[in-house]
Every structure is written in structure tokens, then in C-alpha cells.
Amino acid sequence: MATLELDSVRKTFQDDSGEIVAVDDVSTAIDDGEFLVVVGPSGCGKSTMLRMVAGLESITSGTVSLNNRVINDVKSQDRDIAMVFQSYALYPHMSVRGNMSFGLEESTDLPDDQIAEMVSETAELLGISNLLERRPTDLSGGQQQRVALGRAIVRDPEVFLMDEPLSNLDAKLRAQMRTELQRLQEDLGVTTVYVTHDQTEAMTMGDRIAILNDGRLQQVATPLECYHEPANQFVAGFLGEPSMNFFDVRFERGVLVGDAFEYPLGPEVREALDGTTDLVLGIRPEDIELAETASNDHDFATTVDVVEPMGDENTVHLKFDEGVETMIATADGFTRISAGDDVVARIPAESIHVFDRETGEALRNRSLDSKTLSAALE
Amino acid sequence: MSDAEIRRADATTRVARLRRTVQQTSPGEVVLYAVLVVMAGFYLVPIESGLVTSIKTNTAIIGTAPYAPPGANGVTLEKWGTAIDALLRGMGNSLLYAVPATVISAVLGSVTAYGLTMPTWKRAYKAPLIALIVAGIFIPYQAVLVPLTQFWSQWVGIAQHLSFVWALGVPDDYAGIVELVITHVAYGLPICTLLFRTYYKTMSTEMIESARLDGASLRRVYRRIVLPLSGPMFAVVLIYQFTQIWNDLLFTLVLVSTESSPAAPVVLILAGLGSSLEGQDFALRMAGAFFAALPTLAVYIFFGEEFAEGVSA
């Protein structure tokens, strides 16, 4: 049971071409029992951040504290932290039992029979009791994954660190393990930091998600907050599949002027812009409504370019009749729509996001019925 | 069907299969296999010649070609007997330094390589050490002969330090054996270290990190993870080092020097075996050579499987 705190943590590597900043001034606190998912594109520094917490990577500046104690100079083996690696990193010369008891043997003075008992309890919890005498090489990927988890759980550490633990599993097993991992974490109540590049895992698993790009923390918030109220254009584009449509626009005379369209703004939005004129308009594909005929000034004439049927819904690529810009909309799976059709795309005023084009900062996020959001967050 | 019928049916299918194989063989393959057979014969002829020579009588050696089998009256095991009698004590002496030197250099090499691979050191400290070790591999034996004798005879008087051993009745020539052990360990350490280092670099770093996070200290990680996984590389290093040390004549000549010494290793005795003023006793020389090579052969057979695994790693 522990709180983990990162304060202005920075990591730089020396390269032939000079200094490379891997993690830049990251500060965040993870509460006792919280499940924090760190997500970002590959090379964003998320694994480095995790490895610094584990003590496998030195910290260039800043502090990492566990239960208000700075652990920068505490060796990995003394941190009481367990980590699950993407490759599982099982000890190939030991049986599953050996793998699971290794940590207890090395980090505690518990007698052998007590260790054996704890190992069989954990194995039971994970449903791998029948595998205890097998070698890792004789196990399937999913089974190895469970053993790796078991090895971490049996130690009952202060913090779990997980570095993309599910990315070597096939899609079906991954979805299943996702749920199971979430349930386990809830039952055990151990503070967990989970690194992934998979936004589905980020959205579904965490109490909060931390989005990292280029070593910088972009936003730390609940998944729904990040989705609906992104702090900047990066977060808005990173979360969501298909991702948010962005259009470079200029603000002129109360109207957003783009290559292909002009979008009139309401007074509330105009005020939020606060005089910035170079902007990016963002709209999520699921917020675009498709209609037969244009009825107001938020409706635009488009032609269907490609339709990707997903079964439950159709991903529709639209081309504006004027200009070269395209956008993606999602439509109900039963909508009859095919390439070449003329449709009207309605971009509802309450669903738009507006970003500063230079800084990427969100100036205006979609308006949400705050009651709906808080209800959803409950 | 009766037994005979089944057998006949079997034979027919076998003939059919053979015919199919012959039909499917292309001329290219025939040439390939012919060349391979010739080459295999070419490589095996010296060994075969040696073996048949070692069991020939003196008259048979003169009367038959070296690779031809001896006639019915030309066979004798007498030379083997003489060779074994002459070499047996040397065999013991050789084992006395080859085994410890091999084991010690392998263990030290493994530990050194672990120290140079796994812990996170500063590159600036690690690189010069590795460069030094690599340089050690390329020092020729001949270049160190004079300093080596100087070192043992003038600087380190091992014979005096071990006086209590000679007091027990062991001939003090055996000081040379101790010197050989230490010399071979020192000389073998660089190559052993390098071989283990290459192997350890392929080990999963995540596995080592995982063990560290599991609470194991550096020493415990070596004992419980790295060492148990080093088996194949130990096989490679043991075979290589053992063969190298067993067959080395140069250091034994310098440090033990005479074949008449009670501590003379097998290579020293073998060098003089079967040559005298009357001429060469080819049969005796061959028998001696084969007998002296038996331990190296045994090591290959013993560690063969791990060796293959280690080489491919």
C-alpha cells in the first residue's frame, strides 16, 4: 500500500550528437491503490519513466518518492517494487514454482513452507496451479503471461509496474486478460503504474491516464476527461479511433475560415478564443451527423470517398465538395451508404474543439452536459 | 496373409521406394555426394593410416603402404603396450595441471565476463578493461617465454614456498606443475572472458532486471540466474581450454623442461617417444599419439551436446 510521487523527473542520455532528453520534467502523484496508465506513442519516454521508478535507470534530476521517502538512491532490489515485463522475462531454468518463489526467497526471510503456501495461493488465484512444476518454455504465451503476473503478485509489493504486459498476446486473449488484470488490481488494491501504447487499454483499465509525448506529460486525468476535454491537440488526436478530424482554420469576423468551408461560431466560443486567430478546428468522427439535405450553416456538402464497414458501424471518408480537405465520420452500421454518394455532413456547434495552432493548447472543448460526464465517471 | 507373403510385399515396396529414390536423384546430386565422399576419405586417411600403423609390426611397416591394413601376421599390440607404459605417468602429470587450469580459467572467465556485462558501470571504465583483455588474447606464447622463466625462477620462488609439500615426500619437480597451472590460467583468462562476455550479452537483460527487482543482489543474480544458464558456454570453454592446455608443449618445455623429470607431462614424453639413434619407430609414435589424445577425445564426447548448443548461441 503506497503512494508514489514523481517530482520534476528528468532523464537525459548522452549521444554522439549531444544530449537527448527522454523524460522532461514529469511531475505526478499516484495515490494508494490507484491504477495509473501511462500512454503515448513509441519513443515518448514512457518506458524510461517506468524504469526510473524501478531503479533500473538513473534519474538525471528530480525525485521519485515512495510513501514520502525519496528513493532516488535506493537500489532496485531494495525498493519493494515488482515489475512485469513485455517479454515476461521468466527464468528459463526454473519451474513455474521456482520462478514464483524466487522473489520471496531473495527479498524475505520467510521459511520455505510459508513461501510454498503463498506460491500455491497465488497460483490458485491466477488459475495456474496445474502448471507449477512445468518449465516456462513448455507454456503458451498466455500461460507465461500469467506466471509473470503471479511472480509479481506473490511478493505483495508496494507498487506494481507493468511495461506493456499484454502486447505479446493475441487480440482475444488480450481483451480477456485486460478485464482480469483490472479485477485483480481492484481486489489486491496495490498501487499500479501500467505503461502501454494501446489506447484501448488506456481508456478501459486505468483510474487515471497520463499521456506522454516527447518526454513531456501532456495530461493526467480520468479517461473520459482526457477523451472529452483534452488539454491539447496531441491528446485529442491520440485518443479515439478513428482519431479526431482536424482542420487548419483562421478566425475572421466571427467565423472560422478553412480551405473548404466557413464555420460560424457562437458568442461563447468566440470569447474562449481570446483573440487568437490561427486555430485548429477539431471534431470527433462520431459527432458528425450525416443528413440528406443542408438545413443550417453548420451543414456542409460532401461526397463519400470510401466506406469501411465495421459491422456495428461504418467508417465513412468524406470529401468536401469545395477544396481538397477530407474528414472521417462514423455512421450507424445499418446506414445504407456507398462511395460516390452525396451527403451532407453536420458539424454540431456543441461538439467542436478549438485548438491554438501554434501551441496546440485547447482553447475550447466540446460542451458536455456536466451531469452526464459526472454520471459517466461515477 | 502368411508371413512369407507379408515379407514379399515388404520387399516389393522397398524395391519400389529405392527405384523412386534413384529416379528422383538428379546428376547434380550424384556429383555432390561423390565429392563429399572423396573429401571425407581425404580427411580420414591420416587418422586411418595412423591407426593401422600403430598396430603393425616393424616388418609390416616396411612391407605395406602406410594406409594399407597389415597382413595377418603383421598385427601386434606390443607398441600400444610400450606406449602406455611410457606415457601413463605423464598422463597423470598432465591431468594434474590441465584439469585445475581449465576449471579455474573457465570460472574466473565467467565471473569476469559477468562483471563486465551485467552491472551498470560507466562505459569509460569498462571499455579500457575490455580492450586490455582483448589485447591479452593476441600476445604470442613465444613473446612471453623469457619473461615467464624469469618470473618463475627469479621473482617467485614457488619451490621454496611449497617446501612443506616436498617434506611430505613429493618430488620438488612438481613445483613446475603449479607454475603451469597458474601460467595457463593467466594465459587462458582473456579468451575465456571474451567467450563468456559474448554469451552473456545475448542473455535477456529484462530477465536480469527482473531478478534484481525480485530482491536479488548482484552476487545472487550470478549464482542463481547467470551461472545455471551458462552451461553451454562452459562446455565450449572447457573443451577449448582443455585441448589447448593439454596439447601445449611450449610452456611445459620452459617450466618442466626434461622428460626424465618425475613431473614430466605427457606431451614432453611423447615428443621423445619412439625416436632414437636407430631411427623412428613409427608404430610406437602413432600408438603414443593416439593414447595421448584420448583425454581430449573424451572431453569432446562428454560435453559434445552442450558444446554444439554453446557454439550456435
Side-chain angles (χ1 to χ4, degrees):
Chain A
M1 310 299 112
T3 56
L4 181 69
E5 203 175 334
L6 280 74
D7 187 17
S8 324
V9 171
R10 197 177 147 83
K11 174 75 189 177
T12 57
F13 292 105
Q14 289 301 325
D15 193 10
D16 297 336
S17 53
E19 197 173 64
I20 296 167
V21 181
V23 174
D24 196 1
D25 202 22
V26 167
S27 299
T28 185
I30 301 126
D31 293 335
D32 186 15
E34 191 183 6
F35 195 127
L36 179 80
V37 177
V38 181
V39 67
S42 45
C44 72
K46 54 190 192 299
S47 285
T48 312
M49 182 183 136
L50 200 70
R51 292 171 58 82
M52 284 195 283
V53 175
L56 299 171
E57 209 79 67
S58 64
I59 299 165
T60 310
S61 68
T63 58
V64 174
S65 358
L66 191 61
N67 291 329
N68 301 319
R69 191 169 70 99
V70 175
I71 55 168
N72 281 28
D73 296 322
V74 178
K75 284 187 186 161
S76 300
Q77 67 251 45
D78 302 324
R79 288 195 183 190
D80 200 11
I81 283 175
M83 188 158 168
V84 179
F85 291 88
Q86 184 181 353
S87 64
Y88 313 141
L90 299 176
Y91 314 126
H93 58 298
M94 297 182 190
S95 65
V96 169
R97 185 189 295 285
N99 268 279
M100 287 175 69
S101 38
F102 183 84
L104 287 173
E105 285 163 8
E106 293 298 328
S107 63
T108 66
D109 299 323
L110 294 175
D112 286 354
D113 53 337
Q114 204 172 334
I115 290 179
E117 196 179 312
M118 290 166 80
V119 168
S120 31
E121 265 171 35
T122 311
E124 192 115 342
L125 181 73
L126 288 163
I128 50 173
S129 301
N130 54 334
L131 306 177
L132 279 176
E133 307 311 326
R134 305 254 289 269
R135 289 288 174 94
T137 40
D138 301 334
L139 304 180
S140 70
Q143 289 170 330
Q144 290 186 27
Q145 218 282 327
R146 273 166 197 275
V147 175
L149 268 180
R151 196 169 63 174
I153 290 171
V154 75
R155 280 185 46 212
D156 189 21
E158 297 273 15
V159 178
F160 280 144
L161 302 179
M162 306 201 181
D163 192 358
E164 311 213 9
L166 303 184
S167 52
N168 283 356
L169 301 179
D170 63 61
K172 199 166 179 183
L173 200 53
R174 197 182 314 154
Q176 188 189 326
M177 281 306 289
R178 208 164 57 207
T179 328
E180 198 170 321
L181 207 60
Q182 236 175 314
R183 197 172 50 226
L184 268 174
Q185 199 271 342
E186 220 155 273
D187 290 350
L188 299 168
V190 177
T191 313
T192 304
V193 183
Y194 185 105
V195 161
T196 180
H197 64 265
D198 181 317
Q199 51 154 316
T200 320
E201 284 173 25
M203 290 297 291
T204 55
M205 296 179 83
D207 295 324
R208 284 191 302 160
I209 54 183
I211 296 149
L212 218 59
N213 185 33
D214 273 344
R216 286 187 158 275
L217 210 49
Q218 306 291 316
Q219 188 169 11
V220 186
T222 64
L224 287 180
E225 275 174 320
C226 289
Y227 189 81
H228 292 301
E229 294 174 350
N232 55 40
Q233 195 185 341
F234 176 81
V235 175
F238 189 78
L239 294 179
E241 176 63 41
S243 57
M244 191 185 274
N245 296 294
F246 293 115
F247 306 100
D248 284 354
V249 292
R250 280 185 60 77
F251 180 61
E252 287 168 15
R253 311 173 312 275
V255 177
L256 293 179
V257 182
D259 272 355
F261 61 91
E262 293 193 357
Y263 193 91
L265 293 179
E268 207 183 324
V269 183
R270 257 181 278 166
E271 207 164 293
L273 301 185
D274 201 21
T276 321
T277 53
D278 285 356
L279 301 165
V280 173
L281 171 69
I283 177 81
R284 290 215 177 267
E286 68 268 27
D287 289 330
I288 297 173
E289 294 163 16
L290 300 181
E292 301 266 318
T293 48
S295 57
N296 65 36
D297 52 5
H298 291 162
D299 291 359
F300 304 96
T302 61
T303 313
V304 176
D305 191 15
V306 180
V307 179
E308 299 169 335
M310 313 289 281
D312 58 339
E313 57 184 31
N314 288 319
T315 303
V316 186
H317 295 251
L318 300 170
K319 237 161 59 187
F320 282 99
D321 284 356
E322 297 163 43
V324 292
E325 277 187 294
T326 60
M327 65 176 163
I328 297 173
T330 46
D332 190 277
F334 296 106
T335 317
R336 283 180 166 276
I337 197 161
S338 52
D341 288 359
D342 288 324
V343 290
V344 168
R346 179 171 301 151
I347 302 178
E350 68 274 11
S351 307
I352 61 163
H353 300 256
V354 184
F355 305 96
D356 185 324
R357 202 189 306 169
E358 202 175 327
T359 62
E361 195 190 334
L363 299 174
R364 159 83 192 177
N365 277 321
R366 61 164 309 154
S367 56
L368 278 176
D369 196 340
S370 56
K371 245 190 282 172
T372 347
L373 181 58
S374 51
L377 290 178
E378 278 306 305
Chain B
M1 261 195 289
S2 72
D3 272 6
E5 275 176 274
I6 293 173
R7 229 171 293 137
R8 212 171 307 132
D10 257 8
T12 2
T13 44
R14 219 173 300 140
V15 169
R17 209 180 303 145
L18 187 68
R19 185 173 300 143
R20 223 177 13 252
T21 317
V22 171
Q23 279 165 352
Q24 282 169 357
T25 312
S26 69
E29 279 176 314
V30 173
V31 173
L32 175 72
Y33 283 107
V35 169
L36 284 178
V37 166
V38 169
M39 277 172 68
F42 182 76
Y43 283 113
L44 287 174
V45 158
I47 295 174
E48 188 267 345
S49 306
L51 266 177
V52 291
T53 305
S54 75
I55 53 166
K56 282 178 186 172
T57 56
N58 285 344
T59 41
I61 287 178
I62 298 161
T64 56
Y67 49 83
N73 333 328
V75 182
T76 174
L77 287 177
E78 180 206 328
K79 304 293 179 183
W80 272 86
T82 320
I84 291 171
D85 280 345
L87 293 174
L88 209 52
R89 80 185 163 91
M91 209 77 145
N93 290 334
S94 280
L95 286 175
L96 215 52
Y97 69 86
V99 172
T102 305
V103 172
I104 295 172
S105 58
V107 170
L108 287 183
S110 161
V111 174
T112 316
Y114 173 70
L116 287 171
T117 329
M118 298 302 180
T120 42
W121 283 40
K122 272 215 167 125
R123 277 279 284 286
Y125 302 141
K126 224 192 274 190
L129 260 174
I130 293 169
L132 215 63
I133 287 170
V134 171
I137 297 172
F138 297 106
I139 301 173
Y141 277 28
Q142 290 79 356
V144 297
L145 290 182
V146 174
L148 190 69
T149 33
Q150 292 263 335
F151 177 77
W152 287 120
S153 62
Q154 290 176 19
W155 294 356
V156 187
I158 235 173
Q160 287 127 52
H161 292 307
L162 293 175
S163 50
F164 63 95
V165 180
W166 322 140
L168 294 173
V170 179
D172 63 359
D173 278 28
Y174 277 91
I177 298 287
V178 179
E179 289 169 7
L180 275 175
V181 171
I182 299 172
T183 309
H184 277 300
V185 167
Y187 225 91
L189 198 53
I191 183 73
C192 291
T193 306
L194 204 74
L195 284 169
F196 275 112
R197 182 169 177 269
T198 320
Y199 188 62
Y200 291 162
K201 279 180 93 91
T202 63
M203 260 188 197
S204 149
T205 44
E206 291 196 341
M207 181 183 66
I208 305 296
E209 288 171 348
S210 182
R212 297 301 301 276
L213 282 166
D214 265 347
S217 62
L218 264 181
R219 195 179 310 145
R220 300 285 296 166
V221 171
Y222 178 73
R223 258 249 320 110
R224 294 201 59 189
I225 308 287
V226 175
L227 189 60
L229 290 173
S230 302
M233 201 27 86
F234 264 103
V236 172
V237 167
L238 288 181
I239 288 179
Y240 177 82
Q241 273 293 89
F242 185 81
T243 317
Q244 198 80 357
I245 295 172
W246 183 268
N247 289 337
D248 170 64
L249 182 62
L250 213 48
F251 284 165
T252 51
L253 265 179
V254 170
L255 297 176
V256 181
S257 70
T258 57
E259 64 174 286
S260 56
S261 157
V266 73
V267 276
L268 266 188
I269 304 174
L270 183 66
L273 190 72
S275 51
S276 59
L277 289 175
E278 293 91 68
Q280 302 272 1
D281 184 341
F282 287 110
L284 183 57
R285 289 190 72 89
M286 291 303 160
F290 277 103
F291 182 61
L294 283 181
T296 50
L297 199 66
V299 169
Y300 265 98
I301 293 167
F302 204 70
F303 294 112
E305 207 171 306
E306 284 87 359
F307 180 79
E309 204 180 310
V311 167
S312 65

